Amino acid sequence: MEEDLNEVKELLAQAKRPYVRQLLTAELERLSAKIATQTPPPQPQEERAEQKQPLATGLDSFKTVPSFQWESAANGIIKVYIPITGVGALPKDSVQVSIKKGSVLVIARTSEAGGVRFAVPRLHKPVVPESSSWRVFANKIILSLKKEEEAAFWPQLELKEEKKMKTPKLDDKADPTKGLMDMMKNLYEEGDDEMKRMIAKTWTESQDKQRKGTKDEKTTE
């Protein structure tokens, strides 16, 4: 049928009469449509969530994927988009994915020496591995993670423990000013950047007030 199509194209290129060109164009469209239905376009690989082959060992030679994107999709699905150049052209067994209840690991062996990997050792909330899946495209892998709690809110993909600050104990018998200073020092050391900026600002303003008060007293005397 491809040969017929090519011959019609050649005839169309040589035809000059409008009616003949119209007939050839119609035949060209008919043959093209018929060929298109007989040769469906290649589909991205449909993969299962469960990984049957063992994951690659010696992952030190695998570079971490530098960036990725994720979103909360409909029906309690978390979509994770992992860009890997040329991953769709790799042999099927070169791409390995492990989706567990609380973690995700993706490995793509791009050469004999190693490849790339994507790992989330602690997901923000549990997922259902048997209801999750992944697909390989030309230059990316898309994970579809099924939430265990469909309505649960995910502020981030990975679970990150909040740093707990120690609350200093104030001694009732000690100098209140010293106790306050110790507490401020502890908060500064344990706090984040925003907390440190706030404490530094408060400290500076306090020192300015003290200097101003001392200057006013000297002036009054």
Side-chain angles (χ1 to χ4, degrees), residues 193-206:
D193 292 341
E194 183 63 28
M195 176 67 75
K196 290 179 179 179
R197 282 194 295 268
M198 184 181 69
I199 292 175
K201 181 180 178 182
T202 302
W203 172 259
T204 302
E205 291 175 352
S206 175

Side-chain angles (χ1 to χ4, degrees), residues 161-185:
E161 294 183 356
E162 295 183 0
K163 187 177 181 181
K164 296 181 179 180
M165 292 188 296
K166 298 178 182 178
T167 303
K169 295 181 179 180
L170 297 178
D171 188 354
D172 296 336
K173 297 180 180 180
D175 182 358
T177 303
K178 184 178 183 302
L180 181 61
M181 295 295 295
D182 290 341
M183 183 179 70
M184 294 279 282
K185 180 181 178 182

Side-chain angles (χ1 to χ4, degrees), residues 5-136:
L5 182 66
N6 292 332
E7 187 171 346
V8 171
K9 287 180 179 179
E10 291 178 1
L11 291 173
L12 182 60
Q14 298 174 10
K16 296 180 180 180
R17 295 179 178 274
Y19 180 70
V20 175
R21 290 184 62 83
Q22 184 178 356
L23 290 176
L24 291 173
T25 300
E27 180 64 13
L28 182 65
E29 292 176 353
R30 186 188 70 82
L31 289 173
S32 298
K34 194 169 183 179
I35 292 174
T37 58
Q38 291 180 351
T39 56
Q43 298 294 321
Q45 302 175 33
E46 286 281 359
E47 304 296 346
R48 59 279 146 201
E50 296 179 0
Q51 185 62 239
K52 295 182 179 180
Q53 70 264 37
L55 290 173
T57 57
L59 296 182
D60 292 340
S61 60
F62 286 73
K63 297 181 180 179
T64 301
V65 174
S67 63
F68 70 95
Q69 294 180 331
W70 74 280
E71 65 175 344
S72 291
N75 302 320
I77 297 294
I78 296 291
K79 291 277 190 180
V80 185
Y81 304 90
I82 309 167
I84 302 175
T85 302
V87 67
L90 296 176
K92 212 168 188 180
D93 58 0
S94 294
V95 179
Q96 301 178 20
V97 177
S98 172
I99 300 176
K100 296 183 179 180
K101 186 174 182 179
S103 65
V104 167
L105 177 61
V106 177
I107 296 172
R109 183 176 290 278
T110 56
S111 66
E112 290 294 330
V116 294
R117 62 176 174 171
F118 169 82
V120 181
R122 297 183 65 187
L123 290 168
H124 184 71
K125 289 185 180 294
V127 298
V128 183
E130 56 270 21
S131 299
S132 302
S133 61
W134 54 284
R135 299 176 71 182
V136 177

Side-chain angles (χ1 to χ4, degrees), residues 202-220:
T202 302
W203 172 259
T204 302
E205 291 175 352
S206 175
Q207 292 296 307
D208 290 343
K209 287 180 181 180
Q210 288 183 10
R211 284 194 293 269
K212 184 178 179 182
T214 303
K215 184 178 180 180
D216 289 344
E217 289 178 2
K218 290 181 178 180
T219 303
T220 305

